[in-house]
Amino acid sequence: MAVYDLDIDESVVLHTEDVYTEFGGKIDLILTNKNLIQVNKSFFGKNVNFIKYPLDELKTFKGKANVLINKSYSGRKQLELYFINCEKVFYFDKLFAANKWLDAIIKTHKERLEYIKKDKKSSIERKSIFGSVNNKVGNLFVKIDNVKKTCKCPRCGAELNGNKGEEVVCSYCETVVKIK
């Protein structure tokens, strides 16, 4: 497990040693609430490196992860996972172990998608709340700018009233004046 460090919001759901890859090597397989981790081992059984497959990149069909179990030519049970960019196959000696992984991946994937959907919804709500606050603040600035001002008509000297930045027409000489 020391090869892969969990994210701060990541936890282990399932961990199995001695799973086989399509090339015949033994690996450790770790399912977290965010990723499927393949921990590769050396010939002597030491952890060498890992490959991370994000659960939200699993293809879905009718809202269900595209994962299935088949029987390989050698008689092992194979767990097939169909990701957006690749397909992965893992081999198990026992059917109950493969079924356990299948169920765990489907359940965790569903929970992950619900979490992402809920997070996006709350993000949209936060944006709309901040947007309405910004609009309120914007309106306050507009109200501050709409302060009543008085100035004199440059042509006849009459007193003109209006909002700052507004153009008014002098009622005496009909000169258009922008109030500053």
Side-chain angles (χ1 to χ4, degrees):
M1 255 310 262
V3 173
Y4 178 73
D5 292 325
L6 297 173
D7 290 342
I8 210 161
D9 61 341
E10 189 173 22
S11 60
V12 174
V13 175
L14 190 58
H15 178 209
T16 301
E17 296 178 351
D18 299 334
V19 176
Y20 297 90
T21 65
E22 53 249 315
F23 303 112
K26 283 187 180 181
I27 61 164
D28 288 356
L29 204 54
I30 303 168
L31 176 65
T32 71
N33 59 323
K34 293 171 72 175
N35 301 300
L36 181 68
I37 316 302
Q38 173 184 329
V39 180
N40 297 318
K41 297 182 167 256
S42 71
F43 181 74
F44 299 106
K46 285 189 163 188
N47 295 342
V48 178
N49 60 13
F50 68 91
I51 302 170
K52 178 170 64 170
Y53 304 100
L55 288 180
D56 43 350
E57 290 184 10
L58 265 173
K59 291 182 181 179
T60 57
F61 180 70
K62 295 185 179 180
K64 187 176 170 186
N66 201 344
V67 182
L68 57 101
I69 295 176
N70 276 322
K71 190 174 183 180
S72 70
Y73 295 115
S74 65
R76 287 191 173 128
K77 308 310 173 230
Q78 64 185 38
L79 178 67
E80 299 174 10
L81 297 105
Y82 297 91
F83 290 92
I84 293 169
N85 297 322
C86 68
E87 298 173 10
K88 284 306 296 174
V89 179
F90 300 104
Y91 299 92
F92 295 85
D93 287 328
K94 302 193 184 312
L95 180 60
F96 76 88
N99 283 332
K100 184 177 177 181
W101 272 90
L102 178 79
D103 294 342
I105 289 171
I106 290 171
K107 181 182 177 199
T108 306
H109 178 259
K110 182 178 179 184
E111 290 169 355
R112 179 75 182 149
L113 292 181
E114 288 170 359
Y115 173 80
I116 290 170
K117 185 187 272 186
K118 189 169 86 172
D119 191 44
K120 283 182 181 176
K121 184 178 177 185
S122 66
S123 174
I124 290 168
E125 288 171 355
R126 282 193 302 267
K127 286 180 184 176
S128 69
I129 288 170
F130 285 121
S132 64
V133 168
N134 286 339
N135 288 341
K136 296 281 190 257
V137 171
N139 290 341
L140 289 176
F141 285 124
V142 170
K143 288 178 183 174
I144 291 169
D145 286 342
N146 290 337
V147 174
K148 295 285 184 190
K149 294 282 190 169
T150 304
C151 68
K152 294 198 183 260
C153 176
R155 190 170 197 193
C156 68
E159 191 172 280
L160 303 172
N161 296 312
N163 294 325
K164 182 179 177 183
E166 184 180 30
E167 291 184 345
V168 292
V169 178
C170 177
S171 57
Y172 297 102
C173 67
E174 297 182 344
T175 302
V176 178
V177 177
K178 186 171 184 176
I179 298 183
K180 297 180 183 180

